Amino acid sequence: QQPVQSPQAVILREGEDAVINCSSSKALYSVHWYRQKHGEAPVFLMILLKGGEQKGHEKISASFNEKKQQSSLYLTASQLSYSGTYFCGTEIIPDSWGKLQFGAGTQVVVTP
Amino acid sequence: EAGVTQFPSHSVIEKGQTVTLRCDPISGHDNLYWYRRVMGKEIKFLLHFVKESKQDESGMPNNRFLAERTGGTYSTLKVQPAELEDSGVYFCASSLLPGDTEAFFGQGTRLTVV
C-alpha cells in the first residue's frame, strides 16, 4: 500500500532541474508532498487532489496523473535550499481522515 | 505560533525498558497523528486522534504500544517493553481538519533500543 518513490537519490548542481516520481498500485484520492532537512520536521509543500485541484506553494510544481496513479514533483532551477529528503504521502480514499501512506523518500543534494 | 513539538528529541534505552514519547500539537488542532520511520524506510502511519478519541489505530504494531491523548491536547506514545525493532524516528503531526489539508509535523523523536 505504500507508494513507491523514484529515484532514491539525486545530486544536482545549482540551476539544474529534477523530477521526483511517486507511484501507487491503488487508486489515489490525493498526494501530499513534504520536504525534510536533516534533523528537522518534514515541511509541507503541496497537496494534489483527484480532479486537478492543487494546494501549496507557488514556487513548487507538481502533477497528478490519475490514470497512472502517479504524481511527479518538479524541482526547477534548483537552489541550495532545495536539498533535503522529499516524501510523498498518499490518501487512497477521501474519508481516510488524513491518514497518509508515505514513500521511502528521495534524497536530493544540490551542490554549488 | 509554536509548531508541533516533540519530546525528547533522542532517546536511547535498553531492550525491555519503557519509554514515553510526547507530542504537543499546534493549539486548536483536533487531529493528531503518530508516524514512525524505521531504518530509512517508509514513514508508516501508527494512529490518529480526533481530540481525545482514537479515530484509527490500525497502524499500531502490537500491544506494547499505547497512545493516549488526555483532554484532547498533548499526546503520549508509550512503548513497554521496548524491543530492538522499535528503533526508529517517531513523528507526530497535527492538522486543523482531517484529509485534504496541510499536516504540520514535529521534528521527531529518534528512539534507539540497544
Side-chain angles (χ1 to χ4, degrees), chain B residues 22-87:
Chain B
R22 172 169 169 149
C23 169
D24 286 71
I26 292 174
S27 177
H29 282 193
D30 288 342
N31 295 278
L32 187 150
Y33 306 84
W34 283 99
Y35 290 89
R36 177 175 72 171
R37 189 181 191 205
V38 175
M39 291 290 290
K41 295 185 178 178
E42 301 91 353
I43 299 174
K44 290 197 173 183
F45 169 83
L46 296 177
L47 88 158
H48 170 211
F49 282 100
V50 178
K51 296 185 179 179
E52 67 276 6
S53 300
K54 293 177 184 175
Q55 173 67 29
D56 182 346
E57 53 183 327
S58 61
M60 295 289 264
N62 51 60
N63 59 9
R64 295 186 294 102
F65 289 75
L66 175 63
E68 294 180 327
R69 191 181 182 193
T70 306
T73 55
Y74 70 90
S75 174
T76 57
L77 180 64
K78 180 190 286 188
V79 184
Q80 179 182 26
E83 298 290 343
L84 299 178
E85 63 265 24
D86 300 333
S87 296

Side-chain angles (χ1 to χ4, degrees), chain A residues 16-60:
Chain A
E16 291 183 339
D17 302 336
V19 180
I20 301 171
N21 295 309
C22 175
S23 299
S24 174
S25 60
K26 303 277 188 179
L28 297 177
Y29 171 69
S30 70
V31 180
H32 303 225
W33 286 96
Y34 286 83
R35 178 175 63 209
Q36 183 189 21
K37 294 185 180 290
H38 183 69
E40 298 180 5
V43 173
F44 169 80
L45 296 176
M46 169 167 284
I47 294 175
L48 299 104
L49 302 174
K50 185 176 181 178
E53 184 180 358
Q54 297 185 16
K55 305 176 187 179
H57 299 268
E58 294 179 1
K59 293 187 177 181
I60 299 290

Side-chain angles (χ1 to χ4, degrees), chain A residues 85-105:
Chain A
T85 301
Y86 290 74
F87 294 97
C88 70
T90 58
E91 284 184 286
I92 296 174
I93 51 177
D95 59 350
S96 60
W97 286 77
K99 169 184 174 180
L100 297 177
Q101 306 284 353
F102 282 96

